Amino acid sequence: MPYDLLIKGGHIYDGSGLPSYTGDVAVEAGRIVELGRLSGGARRVIQADGLAVAPGFIDFHTHLDAQLLWDPIATSSCWHGITTVIPGNCGLTLAPCRPQDREGILGSFVRVEAMPLKVLREAVNWEWETFAEYLNRLDRRLGVNVAALVGHCALRQFVMGEEATERAARPGETERMKEILRESVRAGAIGFSTNQNPVHMRADGKPIASRLATDEEILELGSVLGELNKGSIQISQGTLGVSLPAEQGVNFFSRLAARSGRPVIWQAIAHRWDQPDLWRWLLDMAQETLATGVPSYPLCNARLFNNRFNLKNAQVFDDLPTWKEILFKPVEERLRIFRDAQVRQKLRYEAVEEKRPSRFSRRWDLVYMIKAATPKNKSLEGKSVDEIARTQGKDVIDAFLDLSLEENLETLFQTSSNNGDENAVAEILKSPFTLVGQSDAGAHLIYDAGYGYATRFLGYWIRERKVMSLEEGVRKLTFMVASIFGLHDRGLIRPRMAADLVLFDPSTVRECEPEMVNDLPGGEKRLVQKAAGVKMTVVNGEPLTEDGEHTSALPGQVLGRSGRVIP
Ligand SMILES: [Zn+2]
């Protein structure tokens, strides 16, 4: 009998980290059936000479919850070799949700993940109330696979209504949340996510609901996964060392993993200019925790977190109280306040002189003006604020605010507080304990596009910087993620495994520069990011993309819906 698909002569990086080898991969009914030198016929044969054949990459940190409703192939992720996405991170999901709570739920995505409310209102049509119903809706039309976490904010709002953003839960309410979580996991959720980041607010200025949870509530919810012996826990409590003492955070993550017995994925290890050695301490802590047998894993990123902003939409200054207060005011008022010399004095203190840790680096030599809003200032594009200030003989705050005011707050800047020191990033990536990802795909649509973390990792860090072997790199993007998130039939090229594959050219694979397009519902704009060197992705045995183009197939599935993974 002919195979459905035969990939011939590729270099197989099977996800285990073992040495790669030249061979063929045969697929039938969505599964890998044979490996080696195969001569049987196939409905489709793909010559993969010179290409790497690897398990499809699993993007475990996305906010594609809404986008998947109108974009079943999950652009731009699918262009980077991603075959499975995990939405529902950071406590945010669109289910469960009752009709009266819809605005509150959307409001969390608007501010925390910077998605336009107009787009969400138009495109999210609420054909569900429970998590099971949401998964059913997704499953009707998917190009990539989806394995979804349930968000703590939605659980709280579902049980407590608006009071979820105001107070701790009463014992009966925690019990009710546990019941809903139990139902959701039985229906196919692959775990739950929670978020106590003190700067995360809804569009109406209220804290997101999961911030009001006590430690005990989080531990109780984690215990549900322990009881079901299924699911992972994603947790963010803000920037470690800024939002809370790093030790307090890491200890709590370990407690959560120890008490639930389930894998905890915590956010995050990155290099930061304000505490340049913290990453090393966090890596040591991760190693110590894992050495005690507790499954608690840090995530990290292969890229700079670039933040593009203007003073109409900036969130980079949210740790600085005077800045934050002004940036929550109407634009007209901001224009007035930013002119005030006394206010500027305070702004200067917080953003230049103060030593308190902050996610904003206070490195004005790393804040670049990337797009002028008026022709007059075009010549300043690409220069840092520090450089502009020096040539103008001003201090940085005056230069920054004068320029923004002159352009009605539309001057576009870019900065990154994270991962500026590449030697540190190399050490973080190399650690056997770190999960490489955190694309935030589907979020902060106009500030930054992190879709290409995997192609960045393969092209820059592995090919050019040689931080590890390609075998090890592929393992980190596939088998390691699948194992920690319980996707036990993915992440390896082996007979009986799902045929999720990526074919790429190791000598050319890389991420492209993000570009602005107007393809959101209603014609709203967002950044997309293409990749080079990715030849093909295969999802459940069917090609999904070829040379960056969608094949028109929709072979994706909601994963995790059955306790029995292998049929
Ligand atoms: Zn997130």
Side-chain angles (χ1 to χ4, degrees):
M1 195 180 70
Y3 303 119
D4 291 338
L5 180 69
L6 182 58
I7 299 168
K8 284 192 77 74
H11 219 67
I12 299 173
Y13 293 79
D14 70 6
S16 69
L18 285 169
S20 59
Y21 60 95
T22 305
D24 311 329
V25 180
V27 172
E28 243 174 60
R31 300 262 152 191
I32 296 163
V33 289
E34 278 188 274
L35 298 171
R37 288 191 187 168
L38 306 174
S39 52
R43 283 199 290 121
R44 175 151 187 210
V45 177
I46 293 160
Q47 286 299 337
D49 307 72
L51 296 176
V53 181
F57 307 140
I58 300 167
D59 187 348
F60 60 87
H61 193 106
T62 84
H63 295 283
L64 291 162
D65 308 67
Q67 189 184 320
L68 287 163
L69 299 169
W70 68 83
D71 177 12
I73 65 169
T75 59
S76 309
S77 305
C78 62
W79 298 323
H80 296 270
I82 307 289
T83 55
T84 296
V85 298
I86 299 184
N89 282 277
C90 299
L92 303 174
T93 42
L94 294 173
C97 183
R98 295 185 212 280
Q100 65 268 32
D101 295 318
R102 289 171 183 169
E103 280 294 299
I105 292 289
L106 291 187
S108 313
F109 281 91
V110 169
R111 175 79 186 158
V112 176
E113 304 302 348
M115 299 179 196
L117 185 60
K118 189 165 158 270
V119 172
L120 292 175
R121 279 202 184 127
E122 186 168 316
V124 177
N125 64 0
W126 301 107
E127 294 167 82
W128 60 85
E129 200 161 293
T130 66
F131 204 76
E133 288 162 353
Y134 171 71
L135 292 181
N136 286 341
R137 163 59 189 85
L138 287 183
D139 219 4
R140 290 211 307 257
R141 199 164 160 266
L142 280 179
V144 292
N145 296 312
V146 173
L149 299 162
V150 192
H152 193 178
C153 292
L155 287 175
R156 281 191 125 240
Q157 185 98 21
F158 194 80
V159 170
M160 300 168 66
E162 274 300 288
E163 290 182 38
T165 63
E166 291 157 11
R167 61 171 174 83
R170 300 184 182 114
E173 290 165 335
T174 303
E175 280 311 306
R176 183 76 186 117
M177 274 187 252
K178 289 169 70 178
E179 266 170 50
I180 310 282
L181 175 58
R182 202 174 283 123
E183 271 170 30
S184 305
V185 173
R186 287 207 176 108
I190 62 149
F192 97 104
S193 72
T194 186
N195 180 352
Q196 284 73 49
N197 190 331
V199 299
H200 279 176
M201 276 159 304
R202 307 199 309 192
D204 57 10
K206 289 187 177 181
I208 58 166
S210 56
R211 280 178 52 194
L212 281 292
T214 59
D215 285 0
E216 195 50 34
E217 177 181 324
I218 299 165
L219 293 166
E220 279 293 302
L221 287 170
S223 75
V224 170
L225 303 186
E227 163 208 317
L228 296 171
N229 195 35
K230 184 189 169 192
S232 309
I233 303 166
Q234 183 266 343
I235 183 165
S236 161
Q237 300 207 315
T239 306
L240 296 170
V242 177
S243 302
L244 73 167
E247 194 161 8
Q248 182 189 326
V250 175
N251 286 341
F252 183 66
F253 306 148
S254 307
R255 243 175 96 203
L256 183 56
R259 181 138 144 208
S260 65
R262 304 305 306 168
V264 165
I265 299 91
W266 55 268
Q267 211 149 317
I269 303 186
H271 167 266
R272 294 218 328 275
W273 291 114
D274 63 339
Q275 296 177 76
D277 296 317
L278 183 60
W279 62 272
R280 200 182 287 281
W281 183 85
L282 287 169
L283 273 187
D284 290 345
M285 286 296 287
Q287 179 168 8
E288 273 175 37
T289 305
L290 284 158
T292 65
V294 172
S296 178
Y297 301 89
L299 63 82
C300 70
N301 210 325
R303 51 187 291 278
L304 279 171
F305 185 91
N306 282 324
N307 205 312
R308 290 164 204 243
F309 65 94
N310 59 37
L311 284 179
K312 283 189 167 165
N313 61 25
Q315 301 188 7
V316 285
F317 304 112
D318 277 4
D319 288 326
L320 312 176
T322 311
W323 288 82
K324 183 175 155 194
E325 197 189 318
I326 298 170
L327 290 166
F328 262 92
K329 293 192 189 293
V331 170
E332 285 309 309
E333 260 185 79
R334 293 182 211 176
L335 288 169
R336 187 177 51 74
I337 301 170
F338 278 135
R339 287 181 208 285
D340 186 311
Q342 270 184 325
V343 173
R344 284 194 182 191
Q345 207 43 51
K346 277 200 221 163
L347 294 173
R348 187 172 296 116
Y349 174 70
E350 290 174 10
V352 180
E353 294 153 15
E354 200 178 11
K355 293 282 176 282
R356 195 171 51 85
S358 139
R359 286 177 310 162
F360 175 62
S361 64
R362 299 191 180 89
R363 291 278 304 263
W364 291 92
D365 58 327
L366 301 176
V367 179
Y368 297 94
M369 197 272 243
I370 56 169
K371 202 160 192 294
T374 58
K376 173 174 172 284
N377 293 321
K378 272 259 172 272
S379 62
L380 301 178
E381 286 180 359
K383 293 193 181 3
S384 73
V385 172
D386 187 58
E387 193 182 344
I388 294 170
R390 274 186 285 113
T391 47
Q392 295 179 342
K394 294 181 179 173
D395 90 337
V396 285
I397 298 300
D398 288 332
F400 177 66
L401 293 176
D402 289 347
L403 179 57
S404 292
L405 287 168
E406 187 182 5
E407 302 198 329
N408 206 24
L409 307 190
E410 278 167 11
T411 322
L412 192 63
F413 297 91
Q414 175 170 308
T415 192
S416 60
S417 302
N418 283 358
N419 283 354
D421 178 348
E422 293 211 333
N423 293 325
V425 180
E427 293 302 314
I428 297 168
L429 293 173
K430 264 197 276 192
S431 158
F433 314 111
T434 51
L435 276 162
V436 177
Q438 205 183 3
S439 73
D440 263 348
H444 37 78
L445 297 164
I446 55 169
Y447 304 122
D448 184 42
Y451 302 99
Y453 74 91
T455 44
R456 169 89 183 155
F457 184 51
L458 296 171
Y460 180 70
W461 291 104
I462 293 176
R463 182 177 63 240
E464 289 178 30
R465 296 280 308 249
K466 300 186 170 43
V467 297
M468 67 185 75
S469 68
L470 187 49
E471 283 87 348
E472 175 61 7
V474 168
R475 187 186 73 84
K476 281 199 144 223
L477 296 173
T478 58
F479 182 57
M480 183 175 180
V481 184
S483 303
I484 291 171
F485 283 90
L487 305 173
H488 297 307
D489 62 341
R490 317 269 148 178
L492 275 181
I493 297 183
R494 289 276 194 283
R496 303 189 71 204
M497 286 294 200
D500 290 347
L501 302 164
V502 53
L503 279 59
F504 65 93
D505 182 346
S507 68
T508 60
V509 67
R510 66 177 172 85
E511 88 287 15
C512 300
E513 270 299 300
E515 3 165 4
M516 197 66 88
V517 298
N518 285 74
D519 72 346
L520 285 177
E524 294 287 310
K525 61 183 180 179
R526 66 161 179 156
L527 289 166
V528 295
Q529 186 180 31
K530 300 253 163 108
V534 176
K535 184 73 190 155
M536 177 180 273
T537 59
V538 175
V539 173
N540 298 314
E542 281 189 60
L544 177 73
T545 64
E546 288 188 54
D547 296 314
E549 296 293 327
H550 183 206
T551 58
S552 85
L554 290 174
Q557 295 167 7
V558 169
L559 307 180
R561 304 199 84 172
S562 155
R564 290 169 65 247
V565 180
I566 297 175

